[in-house]
Amino acid sequence: MKNIKMMNNKLIDLFLMFLIMFSFLFCKIPEKGNSQNTENRKPETVSDDFPSTESLIKDNDRYFIMEDWHPLVQSEEIQKIKQMVKEEDIIHEDDSLFDDNFSNEFSLIDEEGNMYCLFHDIRKLSSFKVQEYEIYKFWRKDFFWVFKETDEISVLWNYYNGSILILGTDNSRYITSRGIKVGDTADKVIQVYAKDCEVSEYNYEKKRFEVVSKHNAPFMALYKSDDCISINSGNAKSEEMRTISFLLQNNIVSKIVIKGVE
């Protein structure tokens, strides 16, 4: 996890340059699919019966996908929230803004061809039962994140617009858009992705990442350490960082994590 965080920190400058170079292409496009955009939401109605955020506690004994990602304790207050939210308040946003080939890089695809893609509406996947969710993080009754874990895949999404924010799997039934799955070698990951990335490797003596392969016009950056290969990209459309992390054990992919939020 330390290496993953260092990768993301190193990308800040690259991300800012990315936004400056490409923001003029998208400056007139409305942010239809932004997972965190709340400007177009209906004004929140205050209810004295709704649990306060102070009554909600993080479950430090449980983690979601990664060891330092903790959901809320699924308490009586959480159950009350789930009972009070209304289906008619769900926002069905147009996620086609994130339906281009580059956005689809940040996805997992199962054997039936179902695509779980960042910022796409999870409710469009009939094979995934969104009703069986738990609450991960809660800000107010019209804006909170929920998640579901199965034996094969874990998904976190924005409850009201269904926007997928984090994906994770340790099951080889799921592949990335370039065909990488759990059980593949680190060399295969690099072979598939490096051609479109600026590549950096972690120098353990100097305790920093160093560029080992430049790219004339990289849309992505690849960072490799002994325990992780991370594919990172800034997204000018949603002003988010997007990351595919291939966690490694003995140079073999043991888990794939895709995220669009910190």
Side-chain angles (χ1 to χ4, degrees):
M1 280 304 297
K2 289 183 180 178
N3 285 334
I4 296 175
K5 291 176 182 176
M6 291 181 64
M7 295 171 192
N8 289 336
N9 290 336
K10 182 177 171 65
L11 272 173
I12 292 174
D13 291 338
L14 178 63
F15 181 38
L16 291 175
M17 292 178 61
F18 179 87
L19 289 178
I20 292 170
M21 292 173 59
F22 295 97
S23 59
F24 72 93
L25 295 174
F26 306 106
C27 61
K28 296 184 180 179
I29 298 177
E31 295 184 2
K32 295 179 181 178
N34 190 346
S35 60
Q36 303 195 59
N37 180 24
T38 59
E39 293 179 0
N40 297 324
R41 295 185 180 280
K42 299 176 182 178
E44 180 184 4
T45 15
V46 177
S47 170
D48 293 334
D49 296 329
F50 221 83
S52 67
T53 55
E54 289 77 13
S55 66
L56 307 178
I57 305 170
K58 185 182 292 187
D59 191 346
N60 291 317
D61 294 327
R62 181 184 181 190
Y63 68 87
F64 171 74
I65 298 180
M66 305 295 287
E67 290 185 2
D68 57 349
W69 296 353
H70 301 284
L72 293 172
V73 173
Q74 303 303 300
S75 60
E76 291 183 6
E77 287 84 357
I78 290 292
Q79 301 310 314
K80 187 174 182 180
I81 291 172
K82 293 173 69 173
Q83 291 170 5
M84 294 180 73
V85 294
K86 300 176 181 178
E87 285 292 323
E88 55 264 30
D89 291 333
I90 290 174
I91 301 169
H92 296 283
E93 293 183 342
D94 179 11
D95 60 9
S96 61
L97 186 64
F98 302 99
D99 204 23
D100 58 287
N101 290 336
F102 186 67
S103 294
N104 290 342
E105 288 274 5
F106 298 86
S107 63
L108 290 172
I109 305 165
D110 66 19
E111 291 176 337
E112 287 72 41
N114 298 304
M115 177 185 285
Y116 297 75
C117 184
L118 280 188
F119 306 134
H120 283 202
D121 188 347
I122 188 66
R123 292 185 176 89
K124 292 182 179 180
L125 288 171
S126 57
S127 58
F128 194 81
K129 307 301 180 184
V130 296
Q131 297 83 1
E132 302 165 2
Y133 68 86
E134 298 180 78
I135 295 181
Y136 181 82
K137 198 167 185 178
F138 182 88
W139 288 271
R140 60 177 190 259
K141 66 179 181 180
D142 64 342
F143 185 50
F144 57 96
W145 294 348
V146 301
F147 71 101
K148 179 180 176 180
E149 297 176 296
T150 72
D151 293 338
E152 297 180 351
I153 191 169
S154 298
V155 185
L156 182 146
W157 68 95
N158 180 321
Y159 177 80
Y160 277 101
N161 66 12
S163 180
I164 297 174
L165 306 176
I166 300 176
L167 298 164
T169 187
D170 55 9
N171 191 296
S172 60
R173 290 188 62 248
Y174 293 81
I175 62 173
T176 68
S177 63
R178 299 195 182 200
I180 298 298
K181 65 183 183 300
V182 169
D184 285 338
T185 64
D187 289 342
K188 182 176 180 180
V189 175
I190 293 172
Q191 179 184 6
V192 168
Y193 284 96
K195 59 184 178 181
D196 297 315
C197 301
E198 180 176 275
V199 179
S200 299
E201 291 188 4
Y202 191 71
N203 186 317
Y204 284 89
E205 291 184 1
K206 298 180 180 179
K207 297 183 179 180
R208 69 186 186 195
F209 284 95
E210 297 181 337
V211 176
V212 296
S213 176
K214 291 186 177 292
H215 193 289
N216 291 332
F219 276 90
M220 298 183 290
L222 186 152
Y223 293 86
K224 182 184 183 302
S225 66
D226 290 344
D227 57 5
C228 181
I229 297 174
S230 183
I231 314 296
N232 303 266
S233 173
N235 179 9
K237 297 180 182 180
S238 66
E239 299 182 359
E240 300 277 9
M241 293 298 296
R242 297 181 291 187
T243 304
I244 309 176
S245 295
F246 299 95
L247 277 63
L248 306 174
Q249 290 183 356
N250 300 320
N251 221 37
I252 301 295
V253 176
S254 61
K255 181 180 289 188
I256 302 173
V257 180
I258 302 177
K259 65 187 182 78
V261 293
E262 290 298 322

